[in-house]
Amino acid sequence: MDRLITILCLFAIFHLPPWSFAQDIDHTIEAVVDIEEGSVGSEDLPILEALRQMPLDINKADRIDWEQLPWIPPDLAQAIVDWRGAYGPFLNRRMLIRVPGMNESILDRLTPFITAGGHTPRTHGQWRMTNSRHDRYGVQGNGRLGIQSDVNIRERFSWGMRFERRIPNRVYRWQSGYALIHGASVIDQFLVGRFEMDFGQGLIWRSRSTRPSLSTFSASVKRRSRGFRPDRTTYSTGSNRGIAGRYNGRHLQFIGTVFRNKKGEWTHGGRWMWAHHRGVIGTSIAVKGKTYLYGLDMDILVDRTNLFGEIVFNGRQYAVLQAGIIWRLGNIESGLTVHHEPHVYYLDDTAKSWSSLLLRWKPDQRTVVQLSIEPQRKVHYMLLKRTVRLRHRWRYGIILSGAWSQEKDEQQVGAGMIHSRWQSQVEGRIRGRIQWRGRLERRRNVADGTDHQLLISTRYRSKERVNLSIQWQYTLSNHVKGSLNTPVFSGSQRSRWTLLMKGPVMPGIEVLMRYAKTRVTRHAQLKTPLMESDWSMQVSMAW
């Protein structure tokens, strides 16, 4: 039955209306569901894409490598490295469950992105094709057809390419291409083509936002170091086109690069790093025209205390500082991050300086209480964000969680309270193969009004690795328009169905499908409800 479902989905791919699509769901079903439900941030998508193609070797990865994964905090990353040093290499991925702090939920998410290594080098690769389209109001909309190919020749040479065709204007666009040489005589890695990179706190070399995420329980206060990697995804915003090389010594690493970004600016520079199993100290330099940027960064773990930070200078002038600390005392884990740019003046309402404080208390193995406070210095006012989260594992695998957050102008220049949100959620498993989740959320914005949202989702995983996820989301909005003296109230209802399916058709061939249908009804207008639908279907072939 499972194979029949996947074959029918594969058949449907070739009978959809005109092809158009993007490579927007190339992840495991666990990661896709987490993204749909807001448990994984968009800043983690590029690294998931890269590790899906080149999995992390658990017998070679150091602590910094482990922290690339969004589900691994610093202490668990160090625990994995320490366990390997004490008991020897992992014979397979399942052996990670022996590491203190590892559990089945984390291991399920890690499995597609890691490998135990030790295999004989061979030639392998993957070919992937994705079709997506967005239709509105019953009219066929725009879409894209994307094709990607990656080949690895005996762990010595890799190359890949990706292009897309847009519908209906039939524009062909080359998205990315790269060639990567491994283990050369002098340079350990040499890459030509499109790539992305970030180091330290990501202030000089970066591909994503430098802001840390406090949105989920799994998120850490710290900004992860991620290195450089081929550009294989449409999510990246910092794609560079040029060359990069890396040399790895026993404790030293040097990276040099010359590239041209999307704005047409040429940049060259490099990074030198001294690495130890307990920490990393690095220095970076970048030259953009007549602008010279150089900085120092560190990431040190001492017992249960993690110190990290980066300072950048623009010529002789101090430009930006970002630093933080994570420490653990018994059942309490805390984190503090600060960011400051003294000589930058923004034209928009962007934060010039901010800090983040995180307190996480675990009274027992089943309960987590988390508090985060984030003050931001805006151009005209001080914004204070506060978030409280509670999570408790009940009997029979049922998990109850709740969250409350508020954004408020402390100087009362604006409207005082700007945004507030509370959320309650219950989830559980049935015999380990069916996972269900229900969530109720209320969001209030002074400028826009109040939204109430209900989300119900179910996921099934069979023995044959066929995964099916169904999600229903309903939003009731009450908007406020007009002035404060003469407000005008209007509202809308929005319901959205999402179906996710992934499974093997035959050895080496997998199908991933996503379909979403949205219905919007506006109370203030006597019109036919607005209907939208999104299709994304993908075929992956590996050899």
Side-chain angles (χ1 to χ4, degrees), residues 58-120:
I58 62 178
N59 289 317
K60 296 181 180 180
D62 57 20
R63 179 177 65 87
I64 301 299
D65 295 328
W66 277 108
E67 289 184 44
Q68 297 179 91
L69 293 157
W71 308 284
I72 303 295
D75 56 342
L76 180 55
Q78 186 61 47
I80 295 173
V81 175
D82 292 343
W83 194 97
R84 188 180 64 200
Y87 300 101
F90 297 97
L91 301 181
N92 53 62
R93 293 175 293 187
R94 291 295 305 173
M95 287 185 66
L96 284 172
I97 200 66
R98 303 182 183 181
V99 177
M102 181 65 68
N103 57 51
E104 291 287 348
S105 177
I106 297 177
L107 188 57
D108 285 346
R109 286 162 169 77
L110 293 180
T111 299
F113 306 105
I114 59 177
T115 179
H119 59 276
T120 302

Side-chain angles (χ1 to χ4, degrees), residues 262-325:
K262 291 184 177 181
K263 297 180 180 179
E265 301 172 338
W266 282 97
T267 302
H268 62 276
R271 170 178 166 82
W272 172 87
M273 182 179 70
W274 177 82
H276 189 262
H277 72 282
R278 290 290 178 178
V280 170
I281 298 177
T283 178
S284 303
I285 183 171
V287 181
K288 303 178 182 179
K290 297 182 180 180
T291 303
Y292 292 81
L293 297 175
Y294 58 94
L296 301 172
D297 62 82
M298 68 172 183
D299 186 350
I300 301 174
L301 186 65
V302 180
D303 293 329
R304 293 189 171 185
T305 301
N306 187 195
L307 299 171
F308 56 93
E310 183 174 8
I311 183 171
V312 178
F313 296 88
N314 186 351
R316 298 182 178 180
Q317 191 177 50
Y318 152 58
V320 58
L321 168 68
Q322 183 166 303
I325 180 174

Side-chain angles (χ1 to χ4, degrees), residues 33-221:
V33 172
D34 287 345
I35 293 166
E36 290 283 339
E37 297 179 351
S39 300
V40 171
S42 59
E43 66 273 9
D44 293 311
L45 299 185
I47 192 62
L48 294 180
E49 286 281 0
L51 291 177
R52 192 73 174 100
Q53 301 299 320
M54 306 175 75
L56 191 67
D57 190 337
I58 62 178
N59 289 317
K60 296 181 180 180
D62 57 20
R63 179 177 65 87
I64 301 299
D65 295 328
W66 277 108
E67 289 184 44
Q68 297 179 91
L69 293 157
W71 308 284
I72 303 295
D75 56 342
L76 180 55
Q78 186 61 47
I80 295 173
V81 175
D82 292 343
W83 194 97
R84 188 180 64 200
Y87 300 101
F90 297 97
L91 301 181
N92 53 62
R93 293 175 293 187
R94 291 295 305 173
M95 287 185 66
L96 284 172
I97 200 66
R98 303 182 183 181
V99 177
M102 181 65 68
N103 57 51
E104 291 287 348
S105 177
I106 297 177
L107 188 57
D108 285 346
R109 286 162 169 77
L110 293 180
T111 299
F113 306 105
I114 59 177
T115 179
H119 59 276
T120 302
R122 62 184 181 88
T123 299
H124 60 278
Q126 178 170 304
W127 178 82
R128 182 171 49 254
M129 182 169 59
T130 310
N131 183 10
S132 69
R133 192 182 71 240
H134 178 72
D135 299 333
R136 307 186 67 177
Y137 322 136
V139 179
Q140 180 178 318
N142 298 329
R144 290 179 291 180
L145 165 67
I147 296 178
Q148 177 176 329
S149 177
D150 296 279
V151 177
N152 188 309
I153 302 177
R154 302 183 65 83
E155 309 298 335
R156 304 289 291 180
F157 177 75
S158 303
W159 67 270
M161 64 87 186
R162 194 178 76 79
F163 76 94
E164 67 179 26
R165 186 187 72 173
R166 298 191 177 187
I167 301 297
N169 52 15
R170 299 184 180 275
V171 174
Y172 291 84
R173 182 179 179 183
W174 183 271
Q175 287 294 101
S176 64
Y178 71 92
L180 180 62
I181 301 175
H182 308 265
S185 57
V186 178
I187 302 178
D188 293 280
Q189 283 190 335
F190 183 76
L191 186 148
V192 179
R194 287 191 176 273
F195 62 94
E196 50 187 349
M197 56 190 294
D198 48 18
F199 300 100
Q201 296 295 290
L203 300 183
I204 293 183
W205 304 113
R206 61 188 175 198
S207 62
R208 302 296 296 181
S209 169
T210 60
R211 293 291 303 278
S213 173
L214 296 176
S215 59
T216 65
F217 285 102
S218 61
S220 171
V221 176

Side-chain angles (χ1 to χ4, degrees), residues 337-356:
T337 302
V338 295
H339 178 101
H340 184 55
E341 300 181 54
H343 304 292
V344 177
Y345 300 94
Y346 295 98
L347 298 178
D348 55 7
D349 198 22
T350 308
K352 183 177 181 180
S353 62
W354 51 265
S355 58
S356 301

